Amino acid sequence: MGRKRADSPSNIKFQQPDRSGPKEKTLLELAEERGLFAQAQKKQEENDKLKAKIKKIPIKPVSEDDNEPLSPGAERFLDTTLYTMSLTMLHFTLDVLVQNQYSADRIVWPKVWMRAFQALFVFGFLIYTLHAHSSNPTILPGLPARFQNHLRQVIFLVMGVCSGCYLIHITNTYGYLAVMKQAPPVGCLWVWSVIELQLPWAVLSLAVAGTYLKVRGYDIK
């Protein structure tokens, strides 16, 4: 049999709600006592002043003049440095490879570094003088400007043909001491001249070296 409920609806007394207001302090009163509204108002005034100052600061528009290009002299110096360091590293690599190829007892590293240091200055002078650049358009004073680039191409063509053929010659006829001494700088000159040449002239330079190799009956060692 189910239990009888202790509080039945008939036992609940009806009464009106208390409309006399809160008996304790409200959150608004507590906030006012602690000065929270004054602090918020003060913080808002500080933010408004800061925004007003920021609006008064002039903002300089970014223009293309701010990114000024390098001067022709600076670009020439950077180009010379890049080419010189690249050829010097190539010289160092070829020097080590040649000594290993010809079975040197041991590599004398101080001498290798000394030869690379000497090559650094030689390549730097040649590149600064002969490398084509807008600040150095004249390679031969007195020659008309329209022939300056043609003269530069002729110089590199002759350099490429001579250095390529000579490198093939010494590696096939000279002793290992001569090859170890001459092959690295001559090889660097050959590579640099081909890089400086326009594509048709570079192909012609390599074709002449290949023809020389075949005519003389040499092989690539």
Side-chain angles (χ1 to χ4, degrees):
M1 185 174 181
R3 293 189 308 169
K4 185 177 180 181
R5 297 182 58 182
D7 295 331
S8 62
S10 60
N11 296 330
I12 299 176
K13 296 181 180 181
F14 296 96
Q15 60 181 0
Q16 294 292 330
D18 187 4
R19 295 186 176 88
S20 62
K23 301 296 188 298
E24 299 179 354
K25 294 182 180 180
T26 63
L27 294 176
L28 294 177
E29 292 174 346
L30 292 174
E32 186 174 359
E33 288 181 357
R34 297 181 180 181
L36 298 181
F37 292 115
Q39 294 178 11
Q41 181 65 25
K42 184 178 179 181
K43 185 65 175 179
Q44 183 64 36
E45 292 176 357
E46 292 177 355
N47 291 338
D48 294 340
K49 292 179 180 179
L50 181 61
K51 292 180 180 179
K53 291 181 180 180
I54 294 176
K55 291 181 179 179
K56 293 180 181 180
I57 297 176
I59 300 176
K60 183 180 179 181
V62 179
S63 61
E64 296 180 356
D65 296 337
D66 295 336
N67 300 326
E68 296 182 357
L70 295 174
S71 63
E75 290 185 358
R76 182 182 180 185
F77 175 78
L78 292 177
D79 284 347
T80 301
T81 303
L82 176 62
Y83 275 84
T84 302
M85 295 303 298
S86 300
L87 287 179
T88 303
M89 288 187 291
L90 177 61
H91 183 280
F92 179 86
T93 304
L94 292 177
D95 197 353
V96 175
L97 291 177
V98 167
Q99 293 191 49
N100 285 330
Q101 180 179 0
Y102 285 92
S103 300
D105 295 336
R106 63 186 181 89
I107 299 177
V108 183
W109 290 106
K111 292 185 178 180
V112 174
W113 285 109
M114 180 59 65
R115 289 192 290 267
F117 187 72
Q118 294 172 350
L120 177 69
F121 288 96
V122 175
F123 290 146
F125 173 77
L126 293 176
I127 293 170
Y128 189 83
T129 305
L130 299 178
H131 180 64
H133 199 273
S134 58
S135 64
N136 183 36
T138 302
I139 192 172
L140 180 63
L143 186 68
R146 63 180 182 273
F147 296 124
Q148 295 291 338
N149 187 57
H150 297 293
L151 176 60
R152 182 176 282 106
Q153 290 295 299
V154 170
I155 292 175
F156 283 114
L157 178 61
V158 174
M159 184 188 301
V161 171
C162 294
S163 59
C165 295
Y166 185 69
L167 181 62
I168 295 172
H169 175 69
I170 63 175
T171 54
N172 283 274
T173 59
Y174 286 16
Y176 74 96
L177 290 177
V179 175
M180 292 172 59
K181 183 178 180 180
Q182 300 182 37
V186 175
C188 290
L189 290 177
W190 190 14
V191 172
W192 176 47
S193 61
V194 173
I195 293 175
E196 293 284 358
L197 286 171
Q198 297 176 357
L199 182 59
W201 300 112
V203 173
L204 177 61
S205 173
L206 296 176
V208 172
T211 303
Y212 178 80
L213 176 68
K214 184 176 182 180
V215 170
R216 297 299 297 268
Y218 295 145
D219 57 0
I220 300 177
K221 295 183 179 182

